[in-house]
Amino acid sequence: MCGIEITYKDKEIISIKGDKKDMFSKGHICPKAVALKDLYLDKDRLKTPIKKTKNGWIEISWKDALDEVAEKLKAIQKKYGNDAVATYQGNPNVHNIGLMLYGKPFIKSLQTKQKYTASSVDQLPHHIASLLVFGHQMMIPIPDIERTDYLLILGANPAVSNGSMLTAPGFSNKIKAIQKRGGKVINIDPRYTETSRISSEHHYISPGKDALFLLAIINVIISENLSQKGHLENHLKNWDAIKEIVKGFEPNKVENHIGITANNIVKIAKDFANAKTAVCYGRLGVSTQEFGGMCIWLVNVLNLITDNTDKIGGAMFTLPAIDLVGMSAMQGKTGSFNRYRSKVNNLPEYSGEFPVTTLADEILAKDGIKAFVSIAGNPVLSTPNGTKLEKALEQLEFMVSIDIYLNETSKHADIILPTTTGLETSHYDLAFHQLAIRNTTKYSESLFKKEENQRHDWQVLNALTERMTGIKNPATPENMLDYMLQFSPYKSEELSVKKLKDNPNGIDFGLLKPCLTKRIFTKDKMINIAPQEFVDDLERLKNQLKKWNKKQQSNYPFYLIGRRQLRNNNSWMHNSEILIKGENRCTMLINSEDALQLNLTDKQIVKVVSLVGQVEIPIKITNSIKKGVLSIPHGFGHHRKGIKLNLAQQNAGVSINDLTNDKQIDALTGNADFSGTKVQIIP
Ligand SMILES: Nc1nc2c(c(=O)[nH]1)N[C@H]1C(S)=C(S)[C@@H](COP(=O)(O)OP(=O)(O)OC[C@H]3O[C@@H](n4cnc5c(=O)[nH]c(N)nc54)[C@H](O)[C@@H]3O)O[C@H]1N2
Ligand SMILES: Nc1nc2c(c(=O)[nH]1)N[C@H]1C(S)=C(S)[C@@H](COP(=O)(O)OP(=O)(O)OC[C@H]3O[C@@H](n4cnc5c(=O)[nH]c(N)nc54)[C@H](O)[C@@H]3O)O[C@H]1N2
Ligand SMILES: [Mo]
């Protein structure tokens, strides 16, 4: 989403800078953009299809590769049924126009129920909360950080990530600006992070206890009579249920579990409710928890009961030029949850997909998945219990990866279909305009032409769909964009790809405006503040609370959490010189008191053991993590044999997901529960 200005001569890149004239990012840039040069020049990047043979990988023609993939998939479906083929779509599927537009038709052509995405190791709870509260999976409330007076951040580190489900280039400056205009930013995190450093206040929370924290905050607001329906009064239902729900979650009853004093909880609750405008933002760290679904719902509740939803300075909603929410709603496609359940682990369906935590088991099961299509994903490193998944992938009869590298996941494929990326592709951001703090629109043409033998993601997917269905789709991404732009809510602008090309810095429609009352998609057109699914789930929390109250000794005394990094992108940018250089970043943070107790010294290599695996990793002793909590960044683990990532292999690190457990999930949504990972240390 950030505009960049590239100086180049022929095929040589001279510099990459932030585009100061960009309507949205206004010159902001992050290190990943500068690394586009390394990505473009990367010798390890694949450009021709390769096939696994007894004598190793061989290059094959596009026609042979695409034919063979389609034939194998068809044969397996004929022999075992459609559900014998599974698909996984990784994170770049939402960052790449080719994958966004042509992925769906291809997956649809397979007619399989075995569909997975990276959502269920990430933001699945957000979609389910939005679906149940506002009636559409993509009606994601966006904190109006440009105008708010009080920002409460839970489980997010935007100073590193630049915001997530909240597109906001230069987030750190916006955090500082809130304080400059007299506002406050409160950060709740088990680690004192890059974001904590620039916030007004930081409070250490015990991992996985945010549902208790949020319930306690809401409890205070209700008992102090600070709640108000406000401007949404006539659009809210089940309001009175909230009072019942928070009973028993008084701050003094739960403070010990949360790790934040009752006094501080009361103060935050009152300050939030009394602020002129306020907004609570909960993200990855609260989404990937045992009660992740409940957490994201409660974030919505907090913003609703303080009359901070759909209001300037509160939680707002976007109206992008290509309005996917409005367009899908017109077709009655608002999302679905729990229409049916997965075979092996009985996990709920969400919009036609299953939680990826059950993927390995579904492959290993008798009559399970026989073929697997991985599209721009690296689940071996990014999903819990990666070791189990890689064993499962070995059992498949056929696997294909559509990916730019021979990496930890694609090495298990029989055929890899490599695509263009970065500077070789044009881009319109269909997904992240939906989540942006400002309504803008922009199209970026590719900088360089692809090489003769290369294929774009959209071409590969289109060719596969054609082979599966026998139907040709002649439309290019630009054709499809032009079509969608016709339905733009900004009619008078007469938007088209041509017009966007003429405006390379983007077109601005301004900051977000209240619009929710026209965009409530529940059947009765009411905002459901207390959906039954979440209310019922409270029983599970209450039972868990009883167990926590018993305080038993554990063989795994430490909580293990992640640590997203500025100079990578999940698992796949470690092969860039500019990003990977410097000292080893794959270290485990440990609190200095814990280190002292175990007699550990800085940089010492320790063995870390969980219920499902173990790794060896150097420690970094620090005061900036809560006692009893450890942190390892995700996305490393490039020591695996048979991959082709020269620089990444030299900085291999270990994978945190060799410790996380595929059985440890949010039972309501099926999302991975990373924050609940328990480990022991063997010096
Ligand atoms: N423990 C722990 N685990 C986590 C997380 C965490 O915080 N902690 N974070 C989670 C989150 S938020 C996410 S989103 C997931 C990500 O999970 P995944 O999406 O499975 O992993 P990525 O590392 O993003 O892998 C992206 C893949 O796409 C390929 N690729 C890159 N660009 C292109 C392209 O243009 N075209 C094609 N075809 N391929 C491309 C890369 O080579 C790589 O193989 O990981 C999750 N896993
Ligand atoms: N440079 C860079 N930027 C990225 C990415 C990247 O890999 N590199 N990945 C992108 C992707 S795919 C995503 S989804 C976003 C994610 O962006 P964010 O949602 O900001 O996620 P993280 O930066 O992982 O921050 C999660 C925070 O939650 C904290 N946390 C862990 N457990 C708990 C808990 O139990 N309670 C609370 N309150 N906090 C907890 C962690 O300490 C961490 O500070 O970032 C995106 N941006
Ligand atoms: Mo993500």
Side-chain angles (χ1 to χ4, degrees), residues 173-192:
N173 289 335
K174 299 186 197 309
I175 286 181
K176 290 176 196 155
I178 293 173
Q179 294 163 75
K180 266 194 207 128
R181 57 176 187 261
K184 269 195 155 183
V185 180
I186 312 293
N187 182 217
I188 310 288
D189 201 298
R191 183 166 81 84
Y192 184 78

Side-chain angles (χ1 to χ4, degrees), residues 227-407:
S227 66
Q228 46 172 326
K229 283 185 179 166
H231 76 298
L232 294 173
E233 167 143 36
N234 298 326
H235 303 275
L236 279 160
K237 76 168 185 187
N238 288 330
W239 180 265
D240 294 333
I242 300 299
K243 209 177 192 165
E244 292 303 309
I245 283 160
V246 295
K247 272 192 190 148
F249 295 100
E250 291 72 24
N252 59 1
K253 287 197 185 143
V254 285
E255 61 179 341
N256 288 342
H257 297 298
I258 300 169
I260 300 174
T261 62
N263 276 347
N264 278 330
I265 296 173
V266 171
K267 176 153 192 338
I268 294 169
K270 286 187 183 167
D271 285 353
F272 191 99
N274 289 326
K276 200 162 138 246
T277 63
V279 64
C280 178
Y281 171 55
R283 235 320 4 233
L284 189 95
V286 287
S287 173
T288 52
Q289 289 197 4
E290 185 178 6
F291 296 95
M294 192 183 297
C295 282
I296 303 301
W297 164 54
L298 292 171
V299 167
N300 281 308
V301 172
L302 178 55
N303 290 329
L304 281 165
I305 61 156
T306 50
D307 192 22
N308 278 305
T309 298
D310 197 38
K311 253 190 158 174
I312 286 173
M316 303 191 73
F317 297 88
T318 61
L319 191 62
I322 295 184
D323 173 23
L324 295 185
V325 168
M327 284 161 71
S328 54
M330 276 213 299
Q331 301 170 338
K333 290 183 183 156
T334 51
S336 63
F337 175 53
N338 204 10
R339 286 175 304 170
Y340 48 91
R341 315 223 12 136
S342 70
K343 253 193 317 201
V344 186
N345 289 312
N346 191 34
L347 298 184
E349 159 272 356
Y350 155 73
S351 286
E353 66 181 76
F354 288 129
V356 71
T357 49
T358 188
L359 173 59
D361 281 340
E362 305 279 333
I363 298 174
L364 294 168
K366 200 172 155 275
D367 305 323
I369 296 162
K370 304 288 181 212
F372 181 53
V373 186
S374 175
I375 308 172
N378 195 0
V380 167
L381 293 192
S382 54
T383 66
N385 206 347
T387 326
K388 179 171 171 184
L389 182 61
E390 59 193 347
K391 282 188 195 130
L393 296 180
E394 283 303 301
Q395 315 252 307
L396 292 165
E397 288 187 21
F398 182 70
M399 172 171 162
V400 55
S401 269
I402 303 178
D403 207 284
I404 57 176
Y405 288 116
L406 173 55
N407 66 14

Side-chain angles (χ1 to χ4, degrees), residues 51 60 63-73 398 415:
K51 177 178 169 166
I60 57 171
K63 182 176 180 308
D64 288 351
L66 293 164
D67 283 350
E68 185 171 338
V69 170
E71 273 161 26
K72 288 267 164 63
L73 295 177
F398 182 70
I415 291 181

Side-chain angles (χ1 to χ4, degrees), residues 91 122 153 194 212 257 336 382 418:
N91 168 282
D122 186 351
I153 304 177
E194 295 78 357
L212 294 181
H257 297 298
S336 63
S382 54

